[in-house]
Amino acid sequence: MSFDLTNYQPQFKGESMFGPGSKGKAEAKAEKSLPSEDVAMAAARDKRGLSDDARPPLEDHVFQTIFLDKEGSSSMWTKDEIDKDKVILEKWWKQQSHRWQHYAGTVPWMMFLNGKRHTHFAGAWTILNMHEIAVCSGFAAAYRLGAPFPFSQKEGCGRLFKLTLGASHGVRARPEDREGFLA
Ligand SMILES: Cc1cc2nc3c(=O)[nH]c(=O)nc-3n(C[C@H](O)[C@H](O)[C@H](O)COP(=O)(O)OP(=O)(O)OC[C@H]3O[C@@H](n4cnc5c(N)ncnc54)[C@H](O)[C@@H]3O)c2cc1C
């Protein structure tokens, strides 16, 4: 799979590199602490007033390409067709994946482990290896220690948080929180 990272960078569409509407003292201060070539780039960008049409041409975009399953699928990889002079960084990853044993031997038991010996576990591994679980499991552990859940009014957030709380901790939201999406 491949990602056009240049498209993910709004500063190429003329946005401030510090986020929408953040021009001002904070930006000026941060720019001062940036390496000089970054400041030069920002200045050039401001001067040109980049618009959508002024984005770099496709051949200058930065891509991230992930070649999966070395042992089973490397014969299908097109990695060697990439011009080596254009490679910025090559990094080998091992991505955790789960076999059925994870869903039989770990996931259902987390609710009995959590809270024992003053310990609450967090991390994507507690349910399923994905960003949302990584974050929600942390919120759930903090919630069990008494912290509020800050996104209870947002449907998608509340639903996954409730699910994580139930699956990993075997509890529901606190009574005072059981309205809206935590009901
Ligand atoms: C190539 C790739 C692509 C992915 N794409 C997606 C995607 O598109 N969408 C998605 O939802 N998920 C994706 N994932 C999965 C997602 O990145 C993980 O689920 C998520 O990052 C897990 O977060 P985490 O905080 O639980 O664990 P991690 O991010 O693995 O953090 C664990 C941390 O603990 C540290 N650590 C380990 N052992 C110790 C120790 N003994 N002492 C102290 N620190 C320690 C590690 O250094 C690490 O910083 C992808 C993963 C990979 C590798």
Side-chain angles (χ1 to χ4, degrees), residues 120 139-150 152 161-162 165 171-183:
H120 293 280
F139 277 131
Y143 189 80
R144 295 293 316 273
L145 296 173
F149 176 61
S152 55
F161 174 71
K162 251 184 4 182
L165 208 53
V171 300
R172 297 176 64 197
R174 292 189 281 266
E176 66 271 23
D177 292 336
R178 277 191 224 144
E179 47 180 70
F181 294 111
L182 290 185

Side-chain angles (χ1 to χ4, degrees), residues 60-93:
D60 290 343
H61 282 206
V62 174
F63 293 88
Q64 180 190 33
T65 305
I66 302 177
F67 295 96
L68 294 168
D69 186 25
K70 185 179 178 210
E71 276 161 30
S73 308
S74 59
S75 62
M76 292 187 281
W77 286 6
T78 52
K79 186 170 170 286
D80 294 337
E81 293 171 26
I82 298 172
D83 182 349
K84 291 203 170 27
D85 291 339
K86 295 231 168 184
V87 175
I88 298 170
L89 175 75
E90 182 174 326
K91 197 167 179 180
W92 288 94
W93 270 320

Side-chain angles (χ1 to χ4, degrees), residues 9-169:
Q9 305 286 316
Q11 68 267 33
F12 287 115
K13 298 177 195 165
E15 220 31 283
S16 160
M17 60 202 286
F18 300 96
S22 66
K23 280 210 182 295
K25 266 191 188 164
E27 178 170 7
K29 201 172 157 203
E31 280 189 353
K32 261 190 208 155
S33 63
L34 284 173
S36 55
E37 64 268 31
D38 286 359
V39 176
M41 247 181 70
R45 179 214 61 217
D46 286 348
K47 219 171 161 186
R48 279 179 294 161
L50 284 185
S51 68
D52 260 14
D53 298 336
R55 270 181 295 178
L58 189 66
E59 58 271 23
D60 290 343
H61 282 206
V62 174
F63 293 88
Q64 180 190 33
T65 305
I66 302 177
F67 295 96
L68 294 168
D69 186 25
K70 185 179 178 210
E71 276 161 30
S73 308
S74 59
S75 62
M76 292 187 281
W77 286 6
T78 52
K79 186 170 170 286
D80 294 337
E81 293 171 26
I82 298 172
D83 182 349
K84 291 203 170 27
D85 291 339
K86 295 231 168 184
V87 175
I88 298 170
L89 175 75
E90 182 174 326
K91 197 167 179 180
W92 288 94
W93 270 320
K94 186 175 192 308
Q95 182 168 11
Q96 182 198 353
S97 62
H98 308 300
R99 290 177 295 165
W100 67 267
Q101 287 92 332
H102 178 67
Y103 297 101
T106 301
V107 176
W109 310 107
M110 289 312 299
M111 66 172 76
F112 303 107
L113 280 174
N114 272 320
K116 297 276 166 356
R117 299 191 190 177
H118 311 289
T119 306
H120 293 280
F121 293 90
W125 64 269
T126 55
I127 299 184
L128 170 75
N129 192 33
M130 58 187 255
H131 294 148
E132 289 85 344
I133 296 291
V135 172
C136 263
S137 65
F139 277 131
Y143 189 80
R144 295 293 316 273
L145 296 173
F149 176 61
F151 304 111
S152 55
Q153 296 315 311
K154 298 204 171 170
E155 185 182 6
C157 309
R159 208 174 48 211
L160 188 63
F161 174 71
K162 251 184 4 182
L163 194 88
T164 311
L165 208 53
S168 264
H169 296 265

